[in-house]
Coordinates of all heavy atoms in Angstrom, one line a residue:
V1 N 0.8 -1.2 0.0 CA 0.0 0.0 0.0 C 0.9 1.2 0.0 O 1.8 1.3 0.8 CB -0.9 0.0 1.2 CG1 -1.8 1.3 1.2 CG2 -1.8 -1.2 1.2
A2 N 0.5 2.2 -0.9 CA 1.2 3.5 -0.9 C 0.1 4.6 -0.8 O -0.9 4.5 -1.4 CB 2.0 3.7 -2.2
K3 N 0.4 5.6 0.0 CA -0.6 6.6 0.3 C -0.1 8.0 -0.2 O 1.0 8.2 -0.6 CB -0.9 6.7 1.8 CG -1.4 5.4 2.3 CD -1.7 5.5 3.8 CE -2.2 4.2 4.4 NZ -2.5 4.3 5.8
N4 N -1.0 9.0 -0.2 CA -0.8 10.4 -0.4 C -0.3 10.7 -1.8 O 0.6 11.5 -2.0 CB 0.2 10.9 0.6 CG -0.3 10.9 2.0 OD1 -1.5 11.1 2.3 ND2 0.5 10.5 3.0
F5 N -0.9 10.0 -2.8 CA -0.6 10.4 -4.2 C -1.4 11.6 -4.6 O -2.6 11.6 -4.4 CB -1.0 9.2 -5.1 CG -0.1 8.0 -5.1 CD1 -0.4 6.9 -4.3 CD2 1.1 8.0 -5.9 CE1 0.5 5.8 -4.3 CE2 1.9 7.0 -5.8 CZ 1.6 5.9 -5.1
P6 N -0.8 12.6 -5.1 CA -1.6 13.7 -5.7 C -2.4 13.2 -6.9 O -2.1 12.2 -7.5 CB -0.5 14.7 -6.3 CG 0.7 14.3 -5.5 CD 0.7 12.9 -5.2
L7 N -3.6 13.8 -7.0 CA -4.5 13.2 -8.0 C -3.9 13.3 -9.4 O -3.2 14.3 -9.8 CB -5.9 14.0 -8.0 CG -6.6 14.0 -6.6 CD1 -8.0 14.7 -6.8 CD2 -6.7 12.6 -6.1
G8 N -4.2 12.3 -10.2 CA -3.6 12.2 -11.6 C -3.5 10.7 -12.0 O -4.0 9.8 -11.3
Q9 N -2.8 10.5 -13.1 CA -2.6 9.2 -13.6 C -1.2 8.7 -13.4 O -0.2 9.4 -13.6 CB -2.9 9.1 -15.1 CG -3.0 7.7 -15.7 CD -3.4 7.6 -17.1 OE1 -2.6 8.0 -18.0 NE2 -4.6 7.1 -17.4
Y10 N -1.1 7.4 -13.0 CA 0.2 6.8 -12.7 C 0.3 5.4 -13.4 O -0.7 4.8 -13.8 CB 0.4 6.6 -11.2 CG 0.4 7.9 -10.4 CD1 -0.8 8.4 -10.0 CD2 1.5 8.5 -10.1 CE1 -0.9 9.6 -9.3 CE2 1.5 9.7 -9.4 CZ 0.3 10.2 -9.0 OH 0.3 11.4 -8.3
K11 N 1.5 5.0 -13.7 CA 1.7 3.6 -14.2 C 2.6 2.8 -13.2 O 3.5 3.3 -12.5 CB 2.4 3.6 -15.6 CG 3.8 4.1 -15.6 CD 4.4 3.9 -17.0 CE 5.9 4.3 -17.0 NZ 6.5 4.1 -18.4
V12 N 2.2 1.5 -13.1 CA 2.9 0.6 -12.1 C 3.5 -0.5 -12.9 O 2.9 -1.1 -13.8 CB 1.8 0.1 -11.1 CG1 2.5 -0.8 -10.1 CG2 1.1 1.2 -10.5
V13 N 4.8 -0.8 -12.6 CA 5.5 -1.8 -13.3 C 6.2 -2.7 -12.2 O 6.6 -2.3 -11.2 CB 6.6 -1.3 -14.3 CG1 5.9 -0.5 -15.4 CG2 7.6 -0.4 -13.5
E14 N 6.2 -4.0 -12.5 CA 6.8 -5.0 -11.6 C 8.3 -5.0 -12.0 O 8.7 -5.2 -13.2 CB 6.2 -6.4 -11.8 CG 6.8 -7.4 -10.8 CD 6.2 -8.8 -10.9 OE1 5.5 -9.0 -11.9 OE2 6.4 -9.6 -10.0
V15 N 9.2 -4.8 -11.1 CA 10.6 -4.8 -11.3 C 11.3 -6.0 -10.7 O 12.5 -6.3 -11.0 CB 11.3 -3.5 -10.8 CG1 10.8 -2.3 -11.7 CG2 11.0 -3.2 -9.3
E16 N 10.7 -6.7 -9.8 CA 11.3 -7.8 -9.1 C 10.2 -8.8 -8.8 O 9.3 -8.5 -8.0 CB 12.1 -7.4 -7.9 CG 12.9 -8.5 -7.3 CD 13.8 -8.0 -6.1 OE1 14.4 -7.0 -6.3 OE2 13.8 -8.7 -5.1
A17 N 10.3 -10.0 -9.3 CA 9.3 -11.1 -9.1 C 9.6 -11.8 -7.8 O 10.8 -11.9 -7.4 CB 9.3 -12.1 -10.2
P18 N 8.6 -12.4 -7.1 CA 8.9 -13.2 -5.9 C 9.7 -14.4 -6.3 O 9.8 -14.9 -7.5 CB 7.5 -13.6 -5.5 CG 6.6 -12.7 -6.1 CD 7.2 -12.3 -7.4
Y19 N 10.4 -15.0 -5.3 CA 11.2 -16.2 -5.6 C 10.3 -17.3 -6.2 O 9.2 -17.6 -5.7 CB 11.8 -16.7 -4.3 CG 12.6 -18.0 -4.4 CD1 14.0 -17.9 -4.7 CD2 12.1 -19.3 -4.3 CE1 14.8 -19.0 -4.9 CE2 12.8 -20.4 -4.5 CZ 14.2 -20.3 -4.7 OH 14.9 -21.4 -4.9
G20 N 10.8 -17.9 -7.3 CA 10.1 -19.0 -7.9 C 9.2 -18.6 -9.0 O 8.5 -19.4 -9.7
Y21 N 9.1 -17.3 -9.4 CA 8.1 -16.8 -10.3 C 8.8 -16.0 -11.4 O 9.9 -15.4 -11.3 CB 7.1 -15.9 -9.6 CG 6.2 -16.8 -8.7 CD1 6.6 -17.1 -7.4 CD2 5.0 -17.3 -9.2 CE1 5.9 -17.9 -6.6 CE2 4.2 -18.1 -8.3 CZ 4.7 -18.4 -7.1 OH 3.9 -19.2 -6.2
V22 N 8.1 -15.9 -12.5 CA 8.6 -15.1 -13.7 C 8.1 -13.7 -13.7 O 6.9 -13.5 -13.4 CB 8.1 -15.8 -15.0 CG1 8.7 -15.1 -16.2 CG2 8.6 -17.3 -15.0
L23 N 8.9 -12.8 -14.0 CA 8.5 -11.3 -14.0 C 7.4 -11.1 -14.9 O 7.4 -11.5 -16.1 CB 9.7 -10.5 -14.3 CG 9.6 -9.0 -14.2 CD1 9.5 -8.6 -12.8 CD2 10.7 -8.2 -14.9
N24 N 6.4 -10.3 -14.4 CA 5.3 -9.9 -15.3 C 5.7 -8.6 -16.0 O 5.9 -7.6 -15.4 CB 4.0 -9.7 -14.4 CG 2.8 -9.4 -15.3 OD1 2.9 -8.9 -16.4 ND2 1.6 -9.7 -14.7
P25 N 5.8 -8.7 -17.4 CA 6.3 -7.5 -18.1 C 5.2 -6.4 -18.4 O 5.6 -5.4 -18.9 CB 6.8 -8.1 -19.4 CG 5.9 -9.3 -19.6 CD 5.6 -9.8 -18.3
N26 N 4.0 -6.7 -18.1 CA 2.9 -5.8 -18.4 C 2.7 -4.8 -17.4 O 2.4 -5.1 -16.2 CB 1.6 -6.6 -18.6 CG 1.8 -7.7 -19.7 OD1 2.3 -7.4 -20.8 ND2 1.3 -8.9 -19.4
E27 N 2.8 -3.5 -17.8 CA 2.5 -2.4 -16.9 C 1.0 -2.2 -16.8 O 0.3 -2.5 -17.7 CB 3.2 -1.1 -17.3 CG 2.7 -0.5 -18.6 CD 3.4 0.8 -19.0 OE1 4.6 0.9 -18.9 OE2 2.7 1.7 -19.5

């Protein structure tokens, strides 16, 4: 959870997958 974002649009990308899993490239 992340708080206090000013209103607007953001993009979220996975940069590190959990152990045993393949990185999800889709933002």
Side-chain angles (χ1 to χ4, degrees):
V1 179
K3 301 180 179 181
N4 297 319
F5 286 97
L7 302 188
Q9 188 177 72
Y10 300 84
K11 69 175 183 180
V12 183
V13 295
E14 185 179 15
V15 295
E16 188 174 314
Y19 180 90
Y21 293 83
V22 181
L23 187 72
N24 188 335
N26 301 316
E27 68 178 41

